[in-house]
Amino acid sequence: MGKPAGRRGLLLSVAAALLLALYARGGAGEPGAGAKMGDHPYDAFEPSERCAVCHKEIALQYEKSAMAQSQALPWDQAEYFKLALPHTRIEPRVAAVEAGCIQCHAPQAFLAGDVPPPEAPKADRKADGVSCDMCHAMTGFDGEAPVNGNYVVSPGKVKHGSRKDAAPMGHEAAYSPLFKGAELCGTCHDESSPYGAPVKETYREWSLGPYREAGITCLRCHVPAAAGKAAVMGKERPDVAQHLFQGAYSPAMLRGAATLHIYPATEETAAGRTLDISVVISNHRAGHRIPTGSTEERQLWLRLEARDAAGKTYHIPAAPAAGDPAEKSYSVTTNRPAWQDLGRMMGIADFKGVPRDALPEGDRLFRKVFLNPLGEETVAQWYAADTGVFDNRLKPLEAVVERYRWEIPEGVAHGGLTITGALNYRRLPQSVADMVKIGQVPILPVAAGQAVILVK
Ligand code: HEC
Ligand code: HEC
Ligand code: HEC
Ligand code: HEC
Ligand code: HEC
């Protein structure tokens, strides 16, 4: 770690020093250091099916996660083969992502030097995602902080884990503190683009937030403990690591990750009057921002509506703070054409873009904006040159207050007026999914709330 820091070093906790190092470090966007391409052939790692024979429950859980299929899911395939790989051929600055993507998404193909790997599904093991043996071969990371796939691996008979008293069969086990921390995860859940822009910051967000301070790592939420056995012939234990690894694909994980409360400024009003409403949203369950991870393409938005006593529904549009034009342009849903760089990557002449959000217009978005070197908004995180222009994502254990001002229409029915707010999530704008033909992307509810006032 770092240079000797003298007396000041005494004041810094190890974690804080790590963070400083992280921020001092410019992102290379090259495949991270650590294990090198070609270091280990495919058969240096055992296939996960072999582990499943004894670690039955763990394997059943893990194979349902997106991370187990991190190279084979339709959007992973499409983004690499239809966008990133062609882009490396026309933009020398991003050439290193040909291997860089694979280092995190198909680590065994990367380690075997099989880059680019064959397209799935015909590729069988070659499109394996992060496998059991890959993770349990990790012994550390290279450099000062985990980023860009800088994991170090030592595959073989010894499986690394967090127990000092493991009693394995058919293999050996070694204790490593790495398996209780967040750094193991951070090697892939933190990324800088070839332009040095931070483009995946889950580890950094966690590091800067209240959960690191409280000693709560990724594992408590994503690999929670339960009583049972770690292996069919293993002993009964009170705290077996449940390999759920659920995130953006999981309705259960998203539902309730944030809370939403609606406060109209008055309980009684009349048609034609102005109504002030505040909506308080709080990220009370995620150890990082929401959304996190592939922030460039995740959509989280708040829709506010009012329904009058006659059942007629009115949309209450978002009113960005002080009418800030940048904020309005970045964080209010719109269908103006965007993502022009995707057309160039796909070789479509005169591509004018597709609707940016593919959602009803006028709703509040919580997002971090990624700009490419031409200043266009982009969902191609490897092409992001500036990610510092706008970020209103929800911080862990913090609330935001969204303020609305609505002119109550003259024709509104007398009686109860129900104001409803819905916070929804989608992994990717449907317009982008349609471009690369990967089907429907579901909209998942995160939080909802309502309040009723009287219209006299
Ligand atoms: C023949 C059965 C068998 C197979 C196959 C097997 N294991 Fe194990 N493994 C065990 C048993 C038994 C334990 C001990 C469980 C305990 O102590 O509660 C264990 C423990 C472990 C641990 C725990 C170490 C720790 O510190 O907590 C890890 C990690 C592990 N195995 C990984 C793997 C991986 C990865 C594979 C496949 C490459 C695999 N195992 C294949 C039987 C097996
Ligand atoms: C070798 C790289 C690597 C390591 C190490 C790694 N991950 Fe991942 N993880 C990925 C990739 C790649 C994906 C994206 C899967 C996809 O493309 O859909 C992912 C996805 C996830 C998801 C999201 C699943 C979803 O449904 O959206 C969670 C949660 C997750 N990882 C948690 C963890 C935790 C916790 C750790 C540490 C114990 C960890 N990961 C370690 C590469 C890694
Ligand atoms: C992303 C990295 C990652 C992957 C992939 C992964 N594990 Fe683990 N595994 C961990 C971590 C971290 C722990 C320790 C969790 C803890 O102590 O809270 C663990 C713990 C274990 C344990 C010990 C459980 C216990 O509580 O005694 C076994 C056994 C195990 N893993 C087997 C597997 C098998 C089998 C697979 C594939 C089906 C797998 N792991 C996939 C990271 C991973
Ligand atoms: C206090 C619990 C908690 C902790 C700690 C935590 N997470 Fe999460 N994580 C969640 C919840 C809840 C969600 C679902 C909401 C969301 O997407 O943010 C989530 C979602 C995710 C996703 C999917 C995000 C997306 O939009 O694609 C990834 C990846 C992830 N977590 C990785 C991590 C990693 C890596 C760490 C540690 C550095 C970590 N998490 C720490 C609770 C937690
Ligand atoms: C530093 C490791 C790392 C690198 C490098 C990396 N990824 Fe990822 N990627 C991840 C992780 C971790 C996730 C999961 C984050 C989340 O859940 O939002 C992810 C998520 C994704 C997703 C979203 C999956 C989904 O189903 O929503 C796609 C697509 C993707 N990556 C493609 C790529 C491509 C293409 C490249 C190269 C240009 C690349 N990644 C480079 C680690 C990496």
Side-chain angles (χ1 to χ4, degrees):
M1 283 234 350
K3 327 177 199 62
R7 292 182 72 189
R8 278 193 57 207
L10 295 172
L11 301 172
L12 296 171
S13 70
V14 172
L18 192 81
L19 267 182
L20 287 181
L22 192 67
Y23 280 96
R25 188 188 159 95
E30 323 257 292
K36 303 260 171 327
M37 195 155 98
D39 271 359
H40 303 283
Y42 280 111
D43 59 15
F45 295 92
E46 294 180 56
S48 297
E49 302 84 71
R50 208 174 294 165
C51 320
V53 174
C54 301
H55 301 295
K56 221 175 198 140
E57 278 193 18
I58 286 176
L60 277 174
Q61 293 166 348
Y62 189 61
E63 69 195 21
K64 295 261 181 325
S65 77
M67 198 160 61
Q69 311 161 58
S70 56
Q71 176 67 1
L73 291 172
W75 174 223
D76 292 313
Q77 287 283 298
E79 193 171 47
Y80 184 71
F81 288 107
K82 291 188 181 163
L83 300 172
L85 204 49
H87 196 209
T88 62
R89 315 283 190 245
I90 57 173
E91 176 50 70
R93 187 78 190 262
V94 305
V97 306
E98 172 172 13
C101 311
I102 302 310
Q103 187 161 8
C104 296
H105 280 269
Q108 280 138 232
F110 172 82
L111 292 168
D114 193 6
V115 170
E119 286 189 49
K122 45 184 186 264
D124 60 72
R125 283 207 68 199
K126 296 177 177 166
D128 261 5
V130 184
S131 72
C132 311
D133 211 18
M134 152 67 202
C135 232
H136 286 286
M138 283 177 66
T139 53
F141 60 89
D142 196 25
E144 286 154 339
V147 67
N148 282 5
N150 61 348
Y151 49 76
V152 175
V153 288
S154 167
K157 267 263 169 265
V158 181
K159 315 301 175 198
H160 304 264
S162 66
R163 291 203 191 273
K164 291 181 173 149
D165 69 338
M169 281 175 62
H171 63 78
E172 290 160 38
Y175 165 77
S176 161
L178 196 63
F179 285 78
K180 272 294 176 209
E183 285 68 33
L184 181 150
C185 316
T187 57
C188 298
H189 287 269
D190 226 82
E191 184 188 357
S192 294
S193 79
Y195 301 85
V199 291
K200 194 172 275 91
E201 301 172 274
T202 307
Y203 172 77
R204 275 176 267 201
E205 290 160 13
W206 170 84
S207 304
L208 292 169
Y211 289 96
R212 177 183 63 81
E213 237 170 73
I216 296 173
T217 72
C218 323
L219 303 170
R220 280 276 281 282
C221 303
H222 291 290
V223 191
K229 288 178 176 182
V232 285
M233 67 293 271
K235 68 173 176 188
E236 202 56 52
R237 293 181 183 273
D239 56 350
V240 174
Q242 309 296 302
H243 282 51
L244 311 182
F245 293 102
Q246 291 298 315
Y249 282 83
S250 162
M253 202 70 190
L254 284 160
R255 190 185 289 275
T259 57
L260 187 162
H261 297 278
I262 300 177
Y263 299 95
T266 177
E267 289 181 358
E268 270 184 28
T269 185
R273 295 244 186 99
T274 299
L275 177 64
D276 286 315
I277 306 163
S278 54
V279 182
V280 184
I281 296 178
S282 166
N283 168 359
H284 79 147
R285 263 194 214 155
H288 34 69
R289 290 194 177 211
I290 311 178
T292 187
S294 307
T295 311
E296 66 281 5
E297 62 203 33
R298 303 309 197 205
Q299 296 181 297
L300 180 73
W301 70 100
L302 169 63
R303 185 165 183 86
L304 203 64
E305 287 178 340
R307 201 180 63 249
D308 71 13
K312 182 161 183 202
T313 300
Y314 305 85
H315 176 225
I316 306 178
D324 177 349
E327 182 159 3
K328 178 159 194 280
S329 126
Y330 288 140
S331 77
V332 176
T333 54
T334 174
N335 287 316
R336 72 162 181 268
W339 322 126
Q340 284 81 2
D341 53 10
L342 301 183
R344 294 195 291 276
M345 293 170 196
M346 292 176 78
I348 307 172
D350 293 327
F351 182 67
K352 299 280 187 306
V354 290
R356 189 186 74 183
D357 299 315
L359 289 170
E361 298 199 325
D363 288 338
R364 181 63 141 165
L365 275 166
F366 299 95
R367 64 186 287 236
K368 176 163 180 162
V369 174
F370 288 29
L371 299 180
N372 69 20
L374 307 172
E376 300 163 328
E377 290 182 60
T378 186
V379 286
Q381 97 280 11
W382 66 92
Y383 195 34
D386 185 355
T387 56
V389 290
F390 184 81
D391 185 359
N392 67 342
R393 293 170 302 142
L394 310 175
K395 291 183 184 167
L397 297 181
E398 274 187 41
V400 294
V401 185
E402 290 297 316
R403 296 192 168 82
Y404 288 78
R405 169 158 284 193
W406 185 48
E407 308 294 329
I408 300 179
E410 287 296 348
V412 75
H414 295 273
L417 183 75
T418 307
I419 299 160
T420 57
L423 186 68
N424 286 321
Y425 177 98
R426 186 164 65 182
R427 280 186 286 111
L428 182 71
Q430 190 60 48
S431 48
V432 175
D434 290 345
M435 249 193 105
V436 293
K437 302 192 172 64
I438 53 169
Q440 210 59 29
V441 186
I443 290 176
L444 303 175
V446 175
Q450 73 174 45
V452 183
I453 61 168
L454 186 66
V455 178
K456 292 208 286 195

